[in-house]
Amino acid sequence: GVSISVSDSKVVFESDTVSIDSRVLEGKFPEMGLDFWSSGKSFCTARVAAGIWCGLWNQIKATIDAESMGADCEFGEFVSLKHRSSAGESESSCPSEFTGTPQQVRFGVDLMLPSCKEFEPTDILDIEAVDACDTNSESPHTLRAKCGGRMFLLRGMVGDV
């Protein structure tokens, strides 16, 4: 069986072999309509092979340091990633099949890399911005990556791009 413990700051799920701690997040979150999971409104779509998408993120990780964990991602005719820190500078890009209005989002690199393990290199990802990526927003931007019948949420970081 699984036991569940809840406190003001975390939720813990425990079994005989596994323990999972999850922090409780507080703050303002964007309202998500019922069409969020569907192929409803999107501001742009970039179509790219998963192997290329994940390769871009692996190139960026070389310059990550404790003070600068975010990489700026631009979606347009090219998907471009840029990161600058005291450890150096990284920039990588690839062409994409693109529709819509170009968008810019900052992602936490340490959060993006594990998601790359979920895809086969030959999978084709449709990465959609489901909200306008307004750099003055106090809420993180949300993108969904669709691959076949699967969908993954990509949450951006709040802040200037």
Side-chain angles (χ1 to χ4, degrees), residues 23-33 36 131 137-142 153 155-158:
R23 290 184 42 102
V24 175
L25 301 177
E26 296 181 15
K28 183 179 174 187
F29 294 91
E31 281 191 35
M32 309 266 181
F36 179 79
D131 55 3
S137 175
E138 294 180 13
S139 299
H141 309 298
T142 304
L153 295 183
R155 295 296 297 220
M157 299 170 69
V158 175

Side-chain angles (χ1 to χ4, degrees), residues 56-118:
L56 296 177
W57 288 101
N58 280 307
Q59 289 177 30
I60 292 292
K61 75 178 180 181
T63 59
I64 298 302
D65 61 21
E67 297 170 5
S68 179
M69 299 300 291
D72 298 329
C73 185
E74 184 173 322
F75 293 94
E77 291 181 17
F78 285 83
V79 173
S80 301
L81 299 178
K82 296 178 184 176
H83 181 265
R84 288 169 180 73
S85 72
S86 59
E89 296 183 7
S90 297
E91 188 169 332
S92 59
S93 65
C94 71
S96 70
E97 293 179 32
F98 183 78
T99 58
T101 304
Q103 303 287 315
Q104 292 182 329
V105 182
R106 176 169 289 159
F107 288 110
V109 177
D110 59 333
L111 299 175
M112 292 300 290
L113 288 171
S115 70
C116 288
K117 295 177 183 173
E118 300 296 322

